[in-house]
Amino acid sequence: MATYAIGDLQGCFTAFQRLIDLIRFDPAQDKLWLVGDIVNRGPDSLSLLRYIKQAGDAIIMVLGNHDLHLLMVAVGIAKNHSSDTIQSILDAPDRDELLHWLRQQKLFHTQGQYAMVHAGLLPSWSVAQAEQLAHEAERALRQDNYQEFFSQMYGNQPNYWQDDWTGYIRLRVIINAMTRMRICTATGNMNFAFKGDLQSIPPGYVPWFGVPQRASQKETIICGHWSALGLHITDNLIALDSGCVWGGQLTAIRLEDRKVFQLPCAQ
């Protein structure tokens, strides 16, 4: 039995199939952890979504910003952009079943020494606090009147956390940190515009995982979202977005021994 974590898939179903063949994934005994952004930009989001759904407990995923974008487009709150490749899901006969299933997925997953989130955690959040905050946002995503929440979910403000935030502002900050953040200030002010590499981070900001004394540093965080960062592994961080959808690589890591598996992706 082995547990593998895999970076952002973004509709690259063929590359995903090749990678799980490479690692000899056996759903009867192994586990896959997926860091989110399952859909969009790549050529076959529908097949990927169907595969993950039917895999049941063998696959654990957290939601990424592209997965949430699909849900927002489906209810008419966001627009289907020219670069989006989610129309096949919206047109599928099992669309409603797939989208309902997607809304039930986690924003944050923790087990043993590892915790998984799509983008990152604010510096003041411990893993235990992040788990509780994720549950709050997950309940809003899963409720019957989720469309009301969706109408308030988008927005870049506030870009920092206060424990006494309430209502939709509180939930927006949780989701923005967990699905969109790459860099922040030492006090946790998020910058959502930056998408570059480590060398081009603007003054006053650091990678979210580089904030000194961040509260989650005792656990190992597994994440994706930052393709310009690429594969980045330290004692307490495993960042797995190696840009498959942009012609980079698709990456898996076996958590038991941290062995890395990679294969090239067609652009």
Side-chain angles (χ1 to χ4, degrees), residues 155-231:
N156 293 337
Q157 298 297 328
N159 67 345
Y160 61 96
W161 174 253
Q162 290 186 183
D163 285 333
D164 60 357
W165 288 134
T166 59
Y168 291 132
I169 286 176
R170 179 181 179 89
L171 297 176
R172 184 188 304 148
V173 177
I174 294 168
I175 283 182
N176 278 344
M178 292 189 177
T179 68
R180 297 181 61 204
M181 176 176 61
R182 296 181 180 92
I183 60 173
C184 62
T185 65
T187 55
N189 288 72
M190 295 178 280
N191 177 327
F192 300 117
F194 177 78
K195 297 183 179 181
D197 59 20
L198 291 176
Q199 289 68 43
S200 57
I201 293 175
Y205 292 91
V206 294
W208 68 267
F209 51 81
V211 174
Q213 308 303 315
R214 64 177 167 89
S216 60
Q217 65 183 357
K218 291 183 179 179
E219 287 85 3
T220 299
I221 309 298
I222 302 169
C223 62
H225 184 59
W226 195 348
S227 60
L229 176 68
L231 177 64

Side-chain angles (χ1 to χ4, degrees), residues 83-103:
S83 59
D84 289 342
T85 60
I86 54 176
Q87 193 61 46
S88 61
I89 300 172
L90 301 174
D91 293 339
D94 52 346
R95 155 202 165 118
D96 291 345
E97 182 182 343
L98 290 168
L99 296 177
H100 176 79
W101 173 84
L102 192 61
R103 280 197 300 111

Side-chain angles (χ1 to χ4, degrees), residues 230-240 251 253 258-260:
L231 177 64
H232 190 84
I233 299 175
T234 66
D235 288 344
N236 61 6
L237 180 81
I238 301 174
L240 293 172
T251 301
I253 186 169
R258 292 204 177 193
K259 181 176 180 179
V260 172

Side-chain angles (χ1 to χ4, degrees), residues 51 63 190 196 248:
Y51 179 95
L63 292 164
M190 295 178 280

Side-chain angles (χ1 to χ4, degrees), residues 59-87:
I59 297 180
I60 296 169
M61 66 166 282
V62 292
L63 292 164
N65 53 300
H66 282 282
D67 308 314
L68 293 175
H69 176 66
L70 165 63
L71 293 171
M72 298 280 276
V73 171
V75 296
I77 291 171
K79 292 183 179 180
N80 198 342
H81 303 302
S82 59
S83 59
D84 289 342
T85 60
I86 54 176
Q87 193 61 46

